[in-house]
Amino acid sequence: MASSQTHFFLLFLSFLISDTFSEQPSTPTALVLPISKHALTLQYTTILSRRTPLVPLNVVVDLNGPFLWISCDSTYNSSTYKSVQCHSPLCSLAHSNKLGCNHYNTCTVFSKNVFTKKVSAGELSEDVLSLNSTNGLNPISMVSIPQFLFSCAPAFLSRGLASGAKGVAGLGHTKIALPTQLANAFNFTRKFSMCLSPSPNDPGVIFFGDGPYVLLPGIDISKLLTFTPLIQRPRDSNEYYIRVKSIRVNGKQVPINSSLLMISTVNPYAIIESSIYSSLTRVFIEEALAANVARVESQAPFDVCFSTKNTNGAMIRPGVPVIDLVLQNEKVFWRIFEINSMVPVGNDTVCLGFLDGGLNPRASIILGGYQLEDNLLQFDLESSRLGFTSSLLLRETDCASFNFTN
Ligand SMILES: *[C@@H]1O[C@H](CO)[C@@H](O)[C@H](O)[C@H]1NC(C)=O
Ligand SMILES: *[C@@H]1O[C@H](CO)[C@@H](O)[C@H](O)[C@H]1NC(C)=O
Ligand SMILES: *[C@@H]1O[C@H](CO)[C@@H](O)[C@H](O)[C@H]1NC(C)=O
Ligand SMILES: *[C@@H]1O[C@H](CO)[C@@H](O)[C@H](O)[C@H]1NC(C)=O
Ligand SMILES: *[C@@H]1O[C@H](CO)[C@@H](O)[C@H](O)[C@H]1NC(C)=O
């Protein structure tokens, strides 16, 4: 009797203590979102819960986008919607120098559809955003940010997005993109990680906040990261770049100058500046031919294609060269295996998923979704560095292996 009373008292005490020590027991240290590939457009989409009452909202993810924009049509119905006043502190968060105002005295920002290149003014607005917190293993519980900033753009702007998508979620390096707003809302570290799945039916995962990031069968992939500095370009400071000092194909040096590499979820395949492209493909073709891989005719949009007859569709074929992007020194490189370089086209052809970007692409090297799939990337905005893992398939897991059931 006495012991059970003591037990009860201790339980009660520990309840009191935990209640006293953490005013908000549910303050999350990380948040999680699914991210899915859309088969037709090759865009990556996620689902956000917004408004009051909450409704799920399908949006395309743009890693380099400056903020969340949504097309707000007549069906936008929310009791918690508010537009942001002109000349207010929130308005200046969105505008580093000039203040944008419309004649209703509300703050406006320019929203861009990165696929159609159409741009339109939108009202900077606030509304509820809900998402799942996580301990790195599962979703835990829904948490809400009552005044999440976004741009309310005209309905036409979402034309050209994956079917059903009503806007674009920007993860760029700005004060009002998702990573910084979410980190500020819950005071967690300004880091986020992205793991894209190639399969339209099995979503990959985005984590906001620090690891662990645990994928089935129980592998903490945050422990597998290698780091390189993130570079900020003054004019495109919301975008993510790293420096590539050299490229090796099967260990052979490709003659290039040190170059900037941009990471993109908007381009399905890598885009490479012409002179680098021709050096890279020349060495790549030499290496493949030397290993008796037969070159076959081009298949648009790809230039460099090979036959896979007689290889029984093996995933890592001997003979397909590996590409190393050499970063801050010779020992730090991002290795691109066949699974991220060769795109299957038809039954017995694979093509190099790198496209000639002409003389003036946005960066000398732009890695697209295909190169990023089943790789973990961590963007650490506090320490300005990128963590990367290379293909998780070599670690017996993949980006679709986060356990989204709670
Ligand atoms: C908007 O939502 C409110 C509350 O849920 C509802 O009463 C109202 O009818 C809705 N209006 C429209 C136009 O859907
Ligand atoms: C949170 O996770 C649960 C379980 O996976 C899911 O049903 C729910 O839709 C998620 N909520 C949000 C806002 O993503
Ligand atoms: C936020 O976190 C930092 C360090 O983790 C801490 O010093 C600071 O007091 C926290 N701020 C709030 C408002 O909780
Ligand atoms: C490197 O840059 C220099 C100066 O711009 C140029 O002359 C040279 O051709 C470049 N080398 C390669 C391999 O692109
Ligand atoms: C690919 O192979 C499948 C099954 O072997 C066959 O049905 C299909 O017609 C082939 N497609 C092409 C484009 O050759």
Side-chain angles (χ1 to χ4, degrees), residues 234-253:
R235 276 188 47 226
D236 307 299
S237 57
N238 49 311
E239 301 177 343
Y240 297 109
Y241 297 92
I242 58 173
R243 183 162 294 286
V244 174
K245 286 218 174 126
S246 66
I247 299 179
R248 294 186 300 236
V249 174
N250 279 356
K252 293 230 169 80
Q253 205 70 34

Side-chain angles (χ1 to χ4, degrees), residues 59-259:
V59 290
V60 172
V61 174
D62 177 4
L63 178 68
N64 295 297
F67 46 76
L68 169 67
W69 66 260
I70 292 170
S71 50
C72 296
D73 53 18
S74 55
T75 61
Y76 195 105
N77 186 11
S78 173
S79 63
T80 41
Y81 174 86
K82 257 173 58 190
S83 56
V84 169
Q85 290 298 298
C86 202
H87 306 298
S88 65
L90 285 179
C91 189
S92 51
L93 269 187
H95 296 270
S96 40
N97 35 39
K98 54 192 188 302
L99 294 184
C101 295
N102 64 13
H103 49 267
Y104 302 111
N105 203 33
T106 58
C107 184
T108 59
V109 286
F110 284 97
S111 309
K112 181 174 182 183
N113 181 322
V114 277
F115 303 98
T116 61
K117 315 281 183 225
K118 291 220 165 22
V119 174
S120 173
E123 249 181 19
L124 188 66
S125 311
E126 302 174 308
D127 207 341
V128 173
L129 171 69
S130 288
L131 60 180
N132 275 309
S133 64
T134 183
N135 54 3
L137 293 152
N138 300 92
I140 298 287
S141 61
M142 293 265 277
V143 294
S144 288
I145 297 129
Q147 294 164 320
F148 190 86
L149 284 171
F150 69 106
S151 159
C152 226
F156 78 84
L157 202 61
S158 51
R159 267 181 236 145
L161 300 182
S163 58
K166 289 282 184 149
V168 173
L171 305 184
H173 199 171
T174 70
K175 291 180 182 141
I176 62 168
L178 271 76
T180 300
Q181 276 203 72
L182 295 175
N184 289 346
F186 301 108
N187 197 32
F188 59 65
T189 171
R190 284 194 304 135
K191 286 183 190 175
F192 71 98
S193 296
M194 184 179 79
C195 201
L196 299 176
S197 164
S199 160
N201 303 319
D202 298 310
V205 58
I206 301 176
F207 298 99
F208 296 96
D210 215 342
Y213 312 133
V214 181
L215 301 184
L216 297 171
I219 301 170
D220 180 2
I221 54 172
S222 70
K223 297 280 195 290
L224 306 177
L225 293 166
T226 301
F227 296 95
T228 193
L230 279 170
I231 312 272
Q232 276 204 294
R233 274 174 134 184
R235 276 188 47 226
D236 307 299
S237 57
N238 49 311
E239 301 177 343
Y240 297 109
Y241 297 92
I242 58 173
R243 183 162 294 286
V244 174
K245 286 218 174 126
S246 66
I247 299 179
R248 294 186 300 236
V249 174
N250 279 356
K252 293 230 169 80
Q253 205 70 34
V254 175
I256 67 156
N257 283 326
S258 165
S259 301

Side-chain angles (χ1 to χ4, degrees), residues 354-371:
F354 288 52
L355 308 178
D356 185 341
L359 293 178
N360 250 320
R362 201 162 179 83
S364 302
I365 303 169
I366 302 173
L367 288 189
Y370 200 80
Q371 282 68 49

